[in-house]
Amino acid sequence: MTAAMDELLDILDLEKLEHNLYRGRSPQVEWQRVFGGQTIAQALVAAQRTVEPDRHVHSLHGYFMRPGDIKVPIIYEVDRIRDGGSFTTRRVLAIQHGQAIFSLEASFQVDEKGLEHQFSLPDDVPPPEGLQTQRQLLEKAEHVPAAIRRFWARERPLELRPVNLEHYESRDKLPPRQNVWIRLAGPVPDDRALQSVLLAYLSDMTLLDTSTFAHGRALFDPDIQAASLDHSMWFHRQHPLDGWLLYVQDSPSSSGSRGFSRGTLYARDGTLIASVAQEGLIRLRR
């Protein structure tokens, strides 16, 4: 277990303040705002704490409203909207400085059998073992600001190995698609609810970047203001997260200073675990 992974598991263990009320903290890192995946994950933890253990998250939908402040705790308030025969619905509001910064709605279901199919793992994707890490690629890229290099150089709770290297090596206008191998940097507890939370955490990684590729740009360009606006996720199949996952991403559209990206997360054996969609602010500064 790395120190970063240990800290991630610690910040996901929310403190209960009162009925339906929880408090979470953020790692103190050199960054201006709370990582969106952390807010999604902590809000999901708060919702799970109010749901029967035999019901598991199958979908979530969240909206980012304000940047999170890493210096103060985040309060999560859970609204128990519905407890049905098979499904449970929860709404969570994340609050800082007396204002909402994020809202989440999540649905939970008891396990049921039914029709099954899935898209296959993409063909001809090289294995992660022979690929460079994102940190190595950023260190060699000429156009990466020093602050971004320092941020990615620190120890992290997960490792990313991009398949498509041209996004790091050039500023050409490229197809808005990428494949990224990703894995957590330590053992994951045998806890289905926590595994879903960790999957939600890592689902926010690299997704918004995909919407800039068609324009030969990057999120860290000084004339781009970028932020996640919403995030949706569907959990198809349980997985222990004990190895590499392939995150297949594309961006069908950018318009109105917003970039839209989609992603599918596959296990190494080809099992489709989850699907993701996100829209983010991609505004050109004047």
Side-chain angles (χ1 to χ4, degrees), residues 51-59 82-90 106-113 192:
V51 175
E52 292 299 319
D54 65 337
R55 301 191 176 208
H56 309 285
V57 64
H58 70 86
S59 69
R82 179 178 183 269
D83 292 284
S86 302
F87 290 87
T88 295
T89 309
R90 294 291 184 262
S107 182
F108 301 79
Q109 182 189 11
V110 295
D111 285 334
E112 295 185 36
K113 293 188 178 298
R192 182 170 172 179

Side-chain angles (χ1 to χ4, degrees), residues 72-258:
V72 299
I74 305 174
I75 303 301
Y76 294 94
E77 183 178 10
V78 182
D79 182 2
R80 304 188 187 215
I81 296 177
R82 179 178 183 269
D83 292 284
S86 302
F87 290 87
T88 295
T89 309
R90 294 291 184 262
R91 182 183 295 128
V92 183
L93 197 62
I95 302 167
Q96 278 188 322
H97 304 294
Q99 296 181 314
I101 65 168
F102 176 74
S103 68
L104 178 86
E105 199 155 315
S107 182
F108 301 79
Q109 182 189 11
V110 295
D111 285 334
E112 295 185 36
K113 293 188 178 298
L115 302 176
E116 282 225 15
H117 80 275
Q118 67 157 77
F119 279 2
S120 300
L121 190 75
D123 297 328
D124 302 323
V125 175
E129 286 78 11
L131 299 174
Q132 298 179 78
T133 66
Q134 188 180 50
R135 179 189 298 182
Q136 292 169 328
L137 293 169
L138 288 171
E139 286 174 351
K140 294 187 296 184
E142 297 180 357
H143 51 269
V144 179
I148 299 296
R149 293 180 195 273
R150 289 196 300 271
F151 176 72
W152 280 100
R154 72 180 185 88
E155 186 182 15
R156 304 181 64 79
L158 44 80
E159 182 181 355
L160 292 92
R161 296 195 180 189
V163 174
N164 307 89
L165 307 185
E166 59 269 26
H167 305 129
Y168 298 87
E169 297 171 346
S170 79
R171 284 305 181 89
D172 295 337
K173 294 182 178 181
L174 300 165
R177 296 182 177 87
Q178 68 169 333
N179 296 322
V180 181
W181 287 104
I182 185 168
R183 69 174 174 183
L184 291 155
V188 176
D190 184 17
D191 180 330
R192 182 170 172 179
L194 180 58
Q195 289 161 2
S196 297
V197 167
L198 291 169
L199 197 62
Y201 175 89
L202 63 83
S203 71
D204 194 35
M205 287 286 179
T206 72
L207 190 57
L208 187 55
D209 307 50
T210 315
S211 65
T212 66
F213 297 160
H215 312 279
R217 309 300 295 268
L219 289 186
F220 46 71
D221 286 356
D223 63 340
I224 285 185
Q225 179 186 0
S228 298
L229 295 173
D230 61 22
H231 191 94
S232 296
M233 189 168 183
W234 297 265
F235 300 79
H236 306 309
R237 296 167 181 86
Q238 180 186 5
H239 191 271
L241 307 184
D242 54 355
W244 289 102
L245 308 177
L246 182 65
Y247 204 174
V248 179
Q249 306 172 20
D250 65 14
S251 176
S253 174
S254 287
S255 64
S257 293
R258 302 183 312 277

